[in-house]
Amino acid sequence: MDIGFGLPVAGGWATPGNVITVARHAEELGYRTLWSFQRLLVPEGKRLAPTYHSVLDPVVALAFAAGTTERIGLGTAIVNAPFTTPAVLGQQLASLDVLSRGRLLAGLGLGWIPGEFTAAGVAFERRGARFEEYLRCLDAVWGPDPVAFEGEFYRVEASSVLPKPVQRPRPPVLIGGDAPRALERAGRLADGWISRSTFDLTKLRPAVDTVRAAAEKAGRDPGALRFVCRGVVVVGERTGPLTGTLEQVKADFPALEEQGITEVFVDLNFDPAVGAIEADAGAGLRHALTVLDALAPERARPAGQLGGSPEKTLRDPGHWTS
C-alpha cells in the first residue's frame, strides 16, 4: 500500500514556508504523493469544521509544491468539478501535469454546499448528470485535436486545445463521494475512488467492492483501479482508526490495505490544532515533521509510473510494507 501526505492547505499552518518544507521532506522520505482539497466558501450561519474556513486553492497549492519537488505525485482530493467548465479546469490540470513532468492525479467530485454552486454560477440541481457529462468533455479536451464536444451542459466548438497532459491518454482521474451512485460512477467512468474525511474507516471494504463491481459490469479491469483513503490522523486519545499514538496509527495501516485500499494519505489539515485559522504555523510544522518521520514508508520502490501508458513519467517513490 502506498503512503501519501496532505499538504498544509488549511488554516494557520498553510504558509508558503510550510508548504515547501513539508513537500520537500515528504519527497525525501519516500512518500508517494502530496494532496490538496477544495473549499470555496463557508455560507453565513452554516456550521462547518474549522478546517474549511480558510483553504488554499487546490491546483495553485499543488503547482507551488511542484516547483520545489521533483518526483512526488500531486493529487487533488478533491476539486469540485462543476465550479468551472471542463475546458478551464482541463487546461489548468494539463498545465500542472506539464510543469510537474507528469505527476498529477486528478481527484474530482460533485460538491455539496448549495451556496458554493450559487457563487460559481452553476445550478445545484442535476449535478450528477452534469458531472458525468463533465467527465466526457474533460476526456475530449485532453484528447486529440481538433476537439469538438456537444452536450446538454457543455459545448466546445472544433478547436485546438493545448497543452495536452504529459500522461496519456489522461492523468488518473479519481472520484470522491460515497453515495451508491458516486461509487458506481467511479467504477464505470474513473480510474479509482477517494474516501472523504468523515468516512468510517472500518467500512471501506463495501465501498471498494461496489466500485469494483461497477467496473467489472462496465467491461473494465477492476484490478487496475486505485482506492485512496484520506487518513485523518489525530495524535492523542485513541478514539478509532488513525488516532492515538503514532505507533497505534501506523499499526492501523495493514487493516486499511486488507480492505482493498491501495493508498492512504496522512492528512493533518482536519486536526483543529493544525488546520484551524488560529492554529500556530510553527507548531503545526513541528508536529507535521514528527508525523512524517514516524509514518514514513518502510522502503522506496524502484522508479515506476502512474500507470496506463509508457508515456507516463511519474516516479514511484513510496511504498509502505507491513
Side-chain angles (χ1 to χ4, degrees):
M1 184 177 69
D2 293 313
I3 269 198
F5 202 85
L7 274 177
V9 295
W13 82 313
T15 68
N18 282 2
V19 171
I20 291 171
T21 300
V22 167
R24 288 177 175 173
H25 197 54
E27 183 170 76
E28 290 168 357
L29 291 173
Y31 281 80
R32 164 72 160 166
T33 44
L34 298 167
W35 294 87
S36 64
F37 68 94
Q38 184 177 47
R39 182 87 284 127
L40 188 61
L41 51 79
V42 178
E44 190 70 22
K46 189 172 184 65
R47 296 178 62 86
L48 292 182
T51 296
Y52 290 132
H53 286 249
S54 177
V55 182
L56 297 176
D57 178 89
V59 179
V60 172
L62 289 179
F64 187 70
T68 195
T69 56
E70 296 181 357
R71 302 176 305 279
I72 196 166
L74 306 163
T76 58
I78 58 171
V79 169
N80 295 309
F83 296 172
T84 58
T85 67
V88 171
L89 184 61
Q91 186 181 62
Q92 290 176 334
L93 294 178
S95 297
L96 177 54
D97 202 48
V98 168
L99 294 175
S100 68
R101 299 182 178 89
R103 292 190 272 152
L104 171 68
L105 294 96
L108 306 177
L110 283 176
W112 53 275
I113 297 178
E116 289 187 321
F117 281 78
T118 300
V122 183
F124 187 74
E125 296 73 23
R126 301 192 64 215
R127 59 193 187 280
R130 179 185 292 273
F131 186 47
E132 293 210 8
E133 184 176 296
Y134 194 107
L135 295 174
R136 294 194 297 272
C137 187
L138 193 61
D139 273 345
V141 166
W142 286 339
D145 289 326
V147 171
F149 186 88
E150 187 76 40
E152 178 183 358
F153 304 101
Y154 303 106
R155 181 171 182 262
V156 180
E157 296 180 355
S159 307
S160 172
V161 182
L162 296 171
K164 303 296 184 187
V166 171
Q167 299 176 84
R168 308 302 296 162
R170 69 182 186 192
V173 173
L174 312 178
I175 289 180
D178 49 43
R181 284 189 177 184
L183 297 171
E184 183 273 338
R185 187 180 292 121
R188 180 165 51 86
L189 298 175
D191 303 305
W193 174 68
I194 303 174
S195 69
R196 58 184 168 87
S197 60
T198 57
F199 197 89
D200 184 345
L201 300 187
T202 67
K203 298 179 180 178
L204 288 162
R205 172 58 73 180
V208 169
D209 289 345
T210 298
V211 175
R212 288 183 180 275
E216 190 168 13
K217 184 177 180 180
R220 308 178 70 220
D221 178 9
L225 298 179
R226 299 166 180 271
F227 294 91
V228 178
C229 171
R230 168 177 261 114
V232 177
V233 168
V234 178
V235 179
E237 181 184 357
R238 178 72 171 177
T239 58
L242 303 186
T243 66
T245 67
L246 288 171
E247 290 76 13
Q248 288 174 315
V249 169
K250 192 164 189 176
D252 287 331
F253 288 171
L256 300 178
E257 186 171 18
E258 288 169 4
Q259 293 185 79
I261 294 299
T262 60
E263 175 173 349
V264 58
F265 72 91
V266 175
D267 198 343
L268 302 180
N269 287 287
F270 288 81
D271 180 349
V274 177
I277 294 176
E278 63 274 14
D280 180 79
L285 178 61
R286 290 190 294 273
H287 179 57
L289 294 177
T290 298
V291 174
L292 276 164
D293 289 340
L295 303 182
E298 298 288 342
R299 62 184 176 85
R301 297 200 300 190
Q305 298 172 336
L306 270 175
S309 166
E311 295 179 51
K312 296 185 179 182
T313 58
L314 174 63
R315 279 77 169 178
D316 197 356
H319 186 70
W320 187 89
T321 54
S322 55

